[in-house]
Amino acid sequence: MVLTFVSDSGAAGPEVEIRTAVIQHFGSLPDFRPTDLIRQQDLAAVISLLEKTDVPVDRFAALKSRIPADSSEIQRLNTDAKGRQFLRKVADVPKGYAGVEDLGSRPKGARDLRKLSNSPGGEEMIAYMTTTPGGAKLMAMTPQGKATDKPAGPRIYTPSDLYKAMIELSRADARAAQ
């Protein structure tokens, strides 16, 4: 598996260790692709690998709230082959995972996601909802899901997102230590 990351030319210390741990963990998962949706347990596995290094890992646990919970509709789709195929197509859509997560949080969203994942071209509907003014209007007309606390920072969906978030925290810690 090949993971691509933002350029880390000249990266040293924690950044190399974080990159190595992310690649090692996700590279060990069978049939895992670089744009696949990650789970909260993946964060725990990467942290476990980093605990064997000199990288301070205390703050990384806070990233868990930024990864969709196992009980979320997007993660439920991720548990079966057909749902995973749908999510792999959605991964290529701008804001695709965010659109699926948003739709899944709405009333009858689970039903709608199952229909989309079982329909040819279901990912095209997600693309419409996330990239067009008409899709935005459609989502605005759909009843909102229950209010949830928004975690600080952007959502983490892929190994690359996780790597970036861990690097940001690591750099913030390094600046604070100076």
Side-chain angles (χ1 to χ4, degrees), residues 63-84:
L63 297 175
K64 182 178 177 181
S65 66
R66 293 172 49 192
I67 300 170
D70 287 346
S71 60
S72 66
E73 292 304 321
I74 192 170
Q75 291 292 11
R76 286 189 182 129
L77 278 175
N78 198 29
T79 61
D80 67 65
K82 196 162 205 162
R84 194 170 307 107

Side-chain angles (χ1 to χ4, degrees), residues 91-151:
D92 295 331
V93 173
K95 301 179 188 172
Y97 283 145
V100 169
E101 190 174 26
D102 182 26
L103 183 60
S105 72
R106 294 169 184 260
K108 300 181 183 171
R111 181 203 63 198
D112 294 342
L113 283 175
R114 289 286 170 203
K115 283 183 181 178
L116 288 175
S117 69
N118 289 312
S119 301
E123 72 283 355
E124 292 171 14
M125 185 61 175
I126 298 296
Y128 174 75
M129 291 171 13
T130 60
T131 61
T132 67
K137 285 181 185 176
L138 176 66
M139 290 303 284
M141 293 186 299
T142 306
Q144 295 293 312
K146 49 187 163 170
T148 56
D149 293 332
K150 293 283 184 191

